């Protein structure tokens, strides 16, 4: 592994405020997004991700304003996702100052959107976000049960799609996704560590850069995710509520012999 591992704070933005919960529930306020973005830039974050968790058409104007204000304050790449449904949405966010745009539910509804965005803007702009959960013998009528054992979900992990997560990663890579943001819904917000089995399976399925998300609770949780195949590690609540700093994570990665910036 020669490229430096990227450490990426994620800001879930709801109506102009940063929020965080466990398994996408019980959201609590974590601050003002532009202030937090500037703080993470100063702390040495390699990139930032904003996710618009309300993502309604009414919230879109608020998010554009947040992106524009943040882009003026920070000097690191900014990815913005949530409610992106069209090439025009991507264009709007890039014009507001985003460097990359995350797509999730709209790609599930119409996979060709991935190819359209990659063709128009280049695949380096497109981060395909996947919320994956484990399926078991008790999961009714789920084709993923007989495949990788991981299913693509929507609506914050509350709604199954029946799509096998690893097969989906292969498909979106072929369609032109430049990067995969892989969030374990089982681990999200639990602080029990990343889902290493999920990361390994995803790594075997794609050559695209892989961002691991969901489950970070301590600095020592991050190196195993990279060893499992992640090119970047993303976390939210451990950064927002001061459990860890970006420097703590980079120190743990470096101590494990992994390259950091």
């Amino acid at each position: 592994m020669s490229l430096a591992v990227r450490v990426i704070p994620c800001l879930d933005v709801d109506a102009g405020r940063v929020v965080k919960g466990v398994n996408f529930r019980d959201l609590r306020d974590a601050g003002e997004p532009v202030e937090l973005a500037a703080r993470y830039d100063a702390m040495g974050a390699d990139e930032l991700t904003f996710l618009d968790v309300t993502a309604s058409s009414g919230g879109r104007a608020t998010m554009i304003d947040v992106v524009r204000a943040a882009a003026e304050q920070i000097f690191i790449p900014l990815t913005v996702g949530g409610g992106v449904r069209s090439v025009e949405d991507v264009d709007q966010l890039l014009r507001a100052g985003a460097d990359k745009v995350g797509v999730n539910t709209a790609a599930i509804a119409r996979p060709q959107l991935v190819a359209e965005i990659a063709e128009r803007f280049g695949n380096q702009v497109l981060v395909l976000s996947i919320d994956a959960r484990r399926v078991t013998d008790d999961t009714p009528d789920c084709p993923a049960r007989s495949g990788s054992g991981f299913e693509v979900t929507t609506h914050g992990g509350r709604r199954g799609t029946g799509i096998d997560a690893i097969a989906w990663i292969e498909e979106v890579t072929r369609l032109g996704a430049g990067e995969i943001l892989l969030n374990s819904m089982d681990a999200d917000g639990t602080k029990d560590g990343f889902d290493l089995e999920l990361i390994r399976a995803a790594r075997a399925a794609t050559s695209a850069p892989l961002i691991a998300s969901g489950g970070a609770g301590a600095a020592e949780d991050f190196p195993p995710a990279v060893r499992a195949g992640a090119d970047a590690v993303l976390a939210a609540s451990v950064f927002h509520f001061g459990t860890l700093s970006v420097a703590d994570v980079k120190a743990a990665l470096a101590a494990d012999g992994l390259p950091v910036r």
Side-chain angles (χ1 to χ4, degrees), residues 187-206:
D188 178 77
T190 63
K191 302 185 182 176
D192 293 333
F194 292 90
D195 188 329
L196 304 182
E197 185 187 349
L198 175 61
I199 295 168
R200 287 189 198 100
R203 177 74 286 158
T206 184

Side-chain angles (χ1 to χ4, degrees), residues 4 28 52 54 58 71-72 75 133 145 189-190:
R28 57 193 249 228
D52 180 358
T54 34
E72 290 173 1
F75 303 95
R133 71 177 177 195
R145 193 175 61 199
T190 63

